[in-house]
Amino acid sequence: MSVSYVVTGGGRGIGRAVVERLLRSGGPGVKVSVVAVERDAEALAWAGGGVVPVVGDASDEAVVERAADLAQEAGALAGWVNNAAVFRDASVHTSSTAEIRALIAANLDLAVTGCAVAVRRFLAAGTAGAIVNVTSHQARRAVPGSLPYSTAKAAIEGLTRALAVEYGKRGIRVNAVAPGSVATERYEEFLASLGPEGAAGIEEEMARLHPLGRVASPAEIAAAVAYLLGEDSGFVSGVTLPVDGGRSVLGLDPEGQDRDPATVWE
């Protein structure tokens, strides 16, 4: 038996961790293949057996359709993860409306395109399937400077609920995972750029914001995604699962404070 998954933004950080987790998810006699969609070809240089790389923009329907084709060639399409994101922010008093709308669309289009292609493939195959959208704690608790990103992620959570309602009777489950801060390569590079003292200050702030006293590892986010794709969550649909170490319920994010948005981490 062969099953397949598609993961967008699968080259680094959370996306890579999801790919690696799904590759280990097959039981006895089950071959798992994961199609990883990534804009940067170098980010997929690590990909080995079981990983099918697709280089391209995950908001481009032609690219995503190609990923779906490759997944279905490898096995029955079982799940789809929309993880790709654009990390660039703007404020309404310094940027044009057109720029802000474009930044919102840059993130929202990634999820809409992936969800649309996944739903169509599940329906055409007549099989059940699961979709997981990776959002953010910022969808519900925005931080300074994050307007386009927070707006897009909130819209993706609305998209998740709407799809769950519309296609549940066809056996398609749609959920979202909302991470807090995560120790991705981008996060580690940011800390390194600050020097030891600056990095220590950020890590102290992250410990304060998360009740568990630390940021997440990409593997911990991947574990939640794998759960929502798997049989153990077979009656879970339309939910956004916070995987943020309690950050959102503690609510100590520096909202309304005058600080450089560059120091506030995902």
Side-chain angles (χ1 to χ4, degrees), residues 27 52 90 166 263:
V52 181
E166 187 162 357
T263 67

Side-chain angles (χ1 to χ4, degrees), residues 8-262:
T8 70
R12 296 187 176 94
I14 293 172
R16 175 174 176 173
V18 171
V19 171
E20 293 173 336
R21 178 63 182 247
L22 291 176
L23 287 173
R24 302 194 303 270
S25 66
V30 178
K31 178 185 177 183
V32 177
S33 299
V34 183
V35 178
V37 183
E38 176 63 56
R39 293 182 66 174
D40 181 4
E42 292 183 2
L44 290 170
W46 59 270
V51 181
V52 181
V54 171
V55 178
D57 187 340
S59 66
D60 183 335
E61 195 164 355
V63 170
V64 178
E65 290 282 7
R66 179 158 57 91
D69 286 341
L70 291 171
Q72 290 185 307
E73 288 174 10
L77 182 61
W80 192 291
V81 182
N82 292 307
N83 169 71
V86 176
F87 298 99
R88 189 161 69 87
D89 290 314
S91 298
V92 294
H93 69 289
T94 57
S95 303
S96 68
T97 302
E99 181 181 357
I100 290 170
R101 291 173 60 196
L103 286 171
I104 293 171
N107 271 302
L108 182 56
D109 288 354
L110 290 162
V112 171
T113 302
C115 285
V117 172
V119 166
R120 293 169 190 161
R121 294 302 178 112
F122 292 141
L123 292 178
T127 59
I131 299 171
V132 175
N133 296 317
V134 179
T135 64
S136 167
H137 71 100
Q138 291 188 36
R140 302 196 181 188
R141 297 191 63 86
V143 299
S146 69
L147 187 151
Y149 186 76
S150 296
T151 302
K153 291 300 187 180
I156 292 170
E157 291 187 2
L159 172 71
T160 298
R161 293 188 292 271
L163 290 170
V165 169
E166 187 162 357
Y167 295 103
K169 290 184 178 180
R170 307 293 291 274
I172 300 172
R173 297 186 301 108
V174 188
N175 293 292
V177 165
S181 298
V182 185
T184 62
E185 296 93 335
R186 179 171 170 265
Y187 178 83
E188 298 295 348
E189 289 168 3
F190 173 68
L191 291 183
S193 72
L194 300 176
E197 185 175 344
I202 291 296
E203 290 186 310
E204 182 179 346
E205 176 77 350
M206 290 298 101
R208 185 180 73 88
L209 296 177
H210 298 78
L212 291 183
R214 62 177 177 82
V215 301
S217 70
E220 288 173 315
I221 310 302
V225 172
Y227 163 71
L228 290 174
L229 290 174
E231 294 180 359
D232 286 347
S233 64
F235 203 61
V236 179
S237 193
V239 308
T240 295
L241 175 63
V243 189
D244 61 6
R247 179 172 181 170
S248 58
V249 293
L250 179 62
L252 288 181
D253 288 309
E255 296 174 350
Q257 295 186 24
D258 184 14
R259 67 166 59 200
D260 180 357

